[in-house]
Amino acid sequence: MNELTPVQTVDTRTQLVGLARPQLTEAVVALGEKPFRAKQLWHWIYHRGAKDFAAMTDLSKSFRTRLEEHHVVGRPAVAREQTSVDGTRKWLVQFDDGQKAESVFIPEEDRGAVCVSSQVGCTLTCRFCHTGTQRLVRNLTPAEIVGQFMTARDSYNEWPTPTDERRMLSNIVLMGMGEPLYNFDNVATAMKIIMADDGIALGKRRITLSTSGVVPEIHRAGAELGVNLAISLHAPDDDTRSAIMPINKKYPLKDLMAACRDYPGASNARRITFEYVMLKGINDTPAHARALIKLVRGIPCKFNLIPFNPWPGSTYECSDAATVTAFSDMLANAGFTAPVRTPRGRDILAACGQLKTDSEKLSARELRLRAEQVRDVWTEKERVEI
Ligand code: SAH
Ligand code: SF4
C-alpha cells in the first residue's frame, strides 16, 4: 500500500439506542449473555444516560468488550446549539447519513417541554409553515427520535432520570419538523421507550402528539400510546382550511371531527387541544370564531391560539393583537379555554412553524415516490412492540 493512502475502516457497529426491549434482549443474547442482562443495559442507557459501555461498571469486563465490538450507544451529533434571549434552546442535530433535524426546549419556571421532530422535512405543504417549504427527505428512526430527547437531557445534564417533581425537561411535544402520524410506527416505538418505567419514565400524560389531521392514524395514537392529542386545526370550514392546509382536501373537517370525537381517553379531564394559528384576514374574524364554536361542539377540547410566526419568505401576517384578544374572548365566553401562546425563541427561529433545515430539492414526482417508499419501508421494518 502506498504510504500516503489513509487507512479507512468502516464502522459496522450498530446502535442500541432506539431498540424496543425484545430487540435489545435479542442483541444481548446474540452476544452470548443471559436475557436479563438487557435490563441492566436498559437502565444504563435510559436511566443513567450512559454514552459508552466503559461506564457500565456492573457489567462484566468481557461483556463490555463484546458490546463495544458490535454496538454503540450514541446520540445524534449536535451540529449547532443556540439559546434564545428568553431561554429557549434549539439544537440542530445531525444523523449518521448527514441529514439534519431540529429540536427545541421551551423552559417554564420549573419545568419545560422538549419539542422533537419526527421527519426530516415534511410531505405536507401547509402554507404558513416553514417546514412545509422543505421537501421530505425521510422518516426519523426510533433512535433518532429518542436521541433528540436524550440530547436535550445531556445539554441540561439531567441524568440520571430525576423523579417527576424534579424534572426540568418534564414534557415532550411532537411538534417539531414533520408529520408524526406519517411516521407512526417509529414514533410509537420511540415513545414507548421514553415512557418505560425503568428508564426515562416520562408518563403518557406528559407527551403530546400534534397532527395536521391524518385521520386514519389518529385512533392509534390514543389506543396504542394513550398520549395527549393536539390537532392543527387553523380554520373552522373546509374552504378556508383547504386553502391553507392541503391535507384537508384528503381528510375534510367532518372526518377530522369524527376522529376527535372517537379519540380514546379524551374527557373533560383530558381534553384535545386545537391549535389555531392566527392569520390576518384569513381565519381571524368573529364569524370564524362562531363557526369554530359550532364545529367543536361535544368534543372535550381546549384551544391554543398561536400568533403567526414569520419566517424568511412567508407571505402571511399575524392578526393584530386586538383581533387575537377578541377571538380568544369569544371562545372563552363560549366556555372554552383559549389562551394565546406566547411566541418563544423567535430570535433563533425556534418558534412554532419556523423550523427548517436544508434538504435536497426533488421534483414533485420524485418526491411522491420517495415519500411512498419511505413510508412502506418504515412501516414494514419497525412494527415492533415493547
Ligand atoms: N406536523 C405536525 C406537527 C408540527 S406542530 C402538525 O402540523 O401538527 C407545529 C405547530 O405549529 C402546528 O400546529 C403548526 O400548524 C403550527 N405552525 C406551523 N407554522 C406556523 C407558523 N409560521 N406560525 C405559528 N404556528 C405555526
Ligand atoms: Fe408539516 Fe405540520 Fe408544517 Fe403542516 S404544519 S407543513 S404538517 S410540519
Side-chain angles (χ1 to χ4, degrees):
M1 186 194 298
N2 181 322
E3 256 182 14
L4 295 175
T5 310
V7 181
Q8 295 213 335
T9 52
V10 180
D11 191 349
T12 56
R13 295 179 302 166
T14 60
Q15 176 65 269
L16 293 183
V17 173
L19 291 187
R21 204 175 312 235
Q23 292 163 328
L24 186 68
T25 307
E26 272 171 32
V28 163
V29 171
L31 296 179
E33 292 288 329
K34 293 270 191 298
F36 75 86
R37 295 275 174 220
K39 198 171 168 51
Q40 275 170 292
L41 203 49
W42 185 279
H43 180 86
W44 277 109
I45 300 173
Y46 299 115
H47 180 77
R48 304 291 292 265
K51 288 190 199 145
D52 57 64
F53 298 109
M56 304 181 181
T57 44
D58 62 351
L59 302 180
S60 73
K61 187 94 207 312
S62 85
F63 182 29
R64 278 186 271 156
T65 309
R66 270 170 288 139
L67 281 166
E68 189 83 55
E69 277 166 17
H70 296 278
H71 300 291
V72 289
V73 273
R75 312 277 198 265
V78 177
R80 190 175 63 225
E81 179 182 286
Q82 289 167 283
T83 306
S84 154
V85 287
D86 68 17
T88 301
R89 189 170 290 179
K90 179 168 89 165
W91 298 270
L92 176 67
V93 292
Q94 182 163 2
F95 307 112
D96 289 347
D97 64 353
Q99 294 297 342
K100 301 186 191 98
E102 291 186 310
S103 8
V104 178
F105 177 59
I106 308 130
E108 305 292 339
E109 190 108 319
D110 55 353
R111 58 203 285 275
V114 180
C115 175
V116 301
S117 294
S118 54
Q119 300 182 308
V120 176
C122 188
T123 42
L124 300 170
T125 49
C126 305
R127 306 281 179 248
F128 45 81
C129 175
H130 204 193
T131 310
T133 65
Q134 182 185 346
R135 312 304 192 182
L136 176 79
V137 176
R138 65 176 178 81
N139 283 339
L140 295 184
T141 64
E144 292 164 342
I145 298 168
V146 177
Q148 291 173 64
F149 187 66
M150 295 172 85
T151 298
R153 292 270 298 261
D154 292 344
S155 178
Y156 287 88
N157 204 9
E158 199 168 73
W159 299 107
T161 296
T163 57
D164 268 358
E165 310 76 66
R166 293 186 38 241
R167 282 176 200 254
M168 186 63 194
L169 282 65
S170 60
N171 292 67
I172 293 189
V173 291
L174 283 151
M175 295 187 181
M177 298 165 57
E179 169 47 63
L181 292 187
Y182 276 153
N183 186 17
F184 183 77
D185 292 306
N186 290 354
V187 165
T189 302
M191 291 307 118
K192 286 176 185 173
I193 289 171
I194 283 173
M195 288 190 276
D197 280 349
D198 53 348
I200 293 173
L202 208 67
K204 59 186 180 188
R205 279 157 202 273
R206 293 174 173 270
I207 300 175
T208 301
L209 184 149
S210 173
T211 179
S212 57
V214 184
V215 167
E217 303 289 331
I218 288 178
H219 190 84
R220 293 177 72 191
E224 294 177 33
L225 299 175
V227 294
N228 303 319
L229 180 67
I231 301 278
S232 295
L233 190 57
H234 306 324
D237 62 84
D238 282 324
D239 284 349
T240 312
R241 194 164 191 267
S242 295
I244 56 176
M245 298 182 73
I247 193 175
N248 192 68
K249 292 181 199 141
K250 194 163 182 195
Y251 304 118
L253 282 170
K254 188 168 147 294
D255 301 344
L256 182 56
M257 291 302 113
C260 291
R261 286 196 170 83
D262 269 2
Y263 190 68
S267 67
N268 279 337
R270 260 191 110 203
R271 291 164 198 262
I272 292 171
T273 303
F274 288 120
E275 295 158 277
Y276 200 95
V277 59
M278 300 299 300
L279 301 169
K280 189 178 203 160
I282 306 280
N283 64 356
D284 61 352
T285 65
H288 288 117
R290 278 192 293 277
L292 199 52
I293 292 164
K294 214 164 142 196
L295 179 75
V296 304
R297 193 167 287 155
I299 300 175
C301 66
K302 58 187 175 199
F303 289 93
N304 210 327
L305 304 181
I306 317 175
F308 170 69
N309 291 308
W311 35 271
S314 60
T315 51
Y316 294 100
E317 275 180 72
C318 182
S319 313
D320 306 325
T323 308
V324 177
T325 310
F327 201 90
S328 171
D329 287 349
M330 280 182 76
L331 297 176
N333 289 338
F336 296 100
T337 310
V340 180
R341 190 184 291 177
T342 318
R344 300 289 301 267
R346 271 187 176 176
D347 54 331
I348 54 167
L349 284 184
C352 294
Q354 291 184 313
L355 305 184
K356 181 179 176 174
T357 55
D358 302 325
S359 67
E360 59 192 309
K361 302 273 183 260
L362 301 173
S363 73
R365 190 175 161 276
E366 284 167 324
L367 272 169
R368 264 197 314 279
L369 284 174
R370 174 80 70 99
E372 274 152 25
Q373 274 165 10
V374 167
R375 219 163 286 157
D376 289 351
V377 169
W378 290 108
T379 36
E380 288 301 315
K381 205 167 125 189
E382 301 292 338
R383 207 174 286 282
V384 281
E385 288 292 312
I386 58 168

